[in-house]
Every structure is written in C-alpha cells, then in structure tokens.
Amino acid sequence: MSYEPPSPPANLPMEIVDALNEATPEHLRDAASYAEALAEHKEREARLKEEADDANVEECPDSLPDDVPAKATITIKEINDNRYYYWQWRDGDTVRSKYKGPVNPDD
C-alpha cells in the first residue's frame, strides 16, 4: 500500500515547496513551529501599526521630552473610561509610546 504526499498550497512559492520537500521530518516540525510564531508576530505588528494609524493624532508641540524623538506625535488613548495623552513614534518596525499625562476635559 502506497501513500501519496500532501499537495502544497497553490500560492506557496516553488522554492519554499522544494526546500520543504527536501527537509527531514524534524526540520519540517521546527519550520512549522517557527512559521506559526512568525505569522503571529507579523499579524501583531500589523495590528499595532493599524492601531497607531487609527489613533486620534494631534499636532506635535515644539517641546519634547529628551527621550522622545522629534517625529513623535501625540495620541489619545482611552483606558477604563479615562483618556490619556501619549507620545507615539515609529522605531523601525516597532511603534513606541511614552505616557504624557491625562486629557483635561476642560480643553
């Protein structure tokens, strides 16, 4: 009795299919574990970027704390029904934030 190997997804590049076909079962399991973790990481980064892009952004004032770059903007985040200002900027593929203070409802 002969078993047929699984068919690769049609959208998977052939160089990846070829490399996987040559891999040992142990390497395939390691690759599957790594691919799953990498996919989760990339999805999380995309969500963070989308959240940063969707955040309520105000114009950046001239005076910045020493550890906040000039390209930073001020965002408003709501946490437990309270609103807070945060400095926010991109550092490579990472979105960084630093607490600025509470939003004054009288503004």
Side-chain angles (χ1 to χ4, degrees):
M1 183 178 202
S2 173
Y3 294 103
E4 293 294 319
S7 298
N11 62 344
L12 197 60
M14 281 310 296
E15 58 268 14
I16 294 175
V17 171
D18 292 342
L20 292 173
N21 283 333
E22 294 176 13
T24 66
E26 181 182 2
H27 286 156
L28 288 171
R29 286 186 176 83
D30 290 344
S33 177
Y34 170 70
E36 185 63 34
L38 184 60
E40 288 175 10
H41 171 75
K42 288 185 174 199
E43 288 168 345
R44 183 175 51 250
E45 289 292 314
R47 275 194 314 274
L48 288 173
K49 180 184 181 318
E50 185 176 311
E51 288 171 7
D53 291 344
D54 290 345
N56 184 8
V57 177
E58 295 183 3
E59 200 165 308
C60 185
D62 293 333
S63 60
L64 293 166
D66 291 337
D67 56 346
V68 174
K71 63 184 176 181
T73 57
I74 296 176
T75 62
I76 298 174
K77 295 184 181 184
E78 189 167 327
I79 303 170
N80 296 330
D81 296 326
N82 296 305
R83 293 166 41 113
Y84 301 95
Y85 287 119
Y86 282 84
W87 296 105
Q88 197 166 62
W89 65 96
R90 184 166 291 286
D91 184 8
D93 290 337
T94 305
V95 175
R96 305 265 185 218
S97 295
K98 179 175 178 163
Y99 176 75
K100 183 177 186 310
V103 173
N104 185 346
D106 299 331
D107 288 346

